[in-house]
Amino acid sequence: QAQLVESGGGLVQPGGSLRLSCVASGSIFSINAMGWYRQAPGKERELVAVIRSGGSTNYADSVKGRFTVSRDNAKNTVYLEMNSLKPEDTAVYSCYAALTLEGSDARYEYWGQGTQVTVSS
């Protein structure tokens, strides 16, 4: 089993910055991809950013140029640096990992509990 724990959410004014962190722990053999999704009230969950083991990244068009995803493979940790935040970025942000557990060849997907990000003046 594995667990993902996020931190770093909160309230920020428009134009401000926040940094989210997510640590994966448990019986992990390898992590293929880690990233962030978000869901705003009344909207579907959407991919924000993902980073793969080789370092390649993908971003939602709405956050390109403002958000940066990075990871520390040694710490099984993924980060999301969010700059120039807008009210429409308000959502619950959830960490995601596609990983392989020790003793298994199967790939599993895990999700964190989510952290609230509110952008408001």
Side-chain angles (χ1 to χ4, degrees), residues 14-119:
S17 299
L18 279 176
R19 188 191 196 206
L20 305 182
S21 300
C22 172
V23 180
S25 62
S27 301
I28 299 170
F29 178 72
S30 65
I31 301 178
N32 180 33
M34 297 187 79
W36 297 89
Y37 284 72
R38 68 184 181 186
Q39 186 166 22
K43 295 187 177 181
E44 293 187 355
R45 185 173 63 188
E46 64 170 347
L47 172 69
V48 178
V50 62
I51 182 166
R52 298 171 187 83
S53 56
S56 63
T57 58
N58 286 99
Y59 293 91
D61 287 342
S62 58
V63 307
K64 284 181 180 177
R66 301 188 297 123
F67 291 11
T68 302
V69 63
S70 61
R71 63 189 280 182
D72 184 332
N73 292 328
K75 297 181 179 180
N76 287 345
T77 300
V78 64
Y79 305 96
L80 185 67
E81 188 75 35
M82 303 184 293
N83 298 314
S84 302
L85 283 160
K86 305 175 181 180
E88 51 263 44
D89 294 317
T90 296
V92 174
Y93 285 69
S94 297
C95 177
Y96 158 86
L99 54 83
T100 303
L101 297 174
E102 293 177 349
S104 173
D105 292 330
R107 194 177 83 166
Y108 298 90
E109 296 183 341
Y110 282 86
W111 296 86
Q113 291 184 322
T115 184
Q116 177 70 45
V117 172
T118 302
V119 185

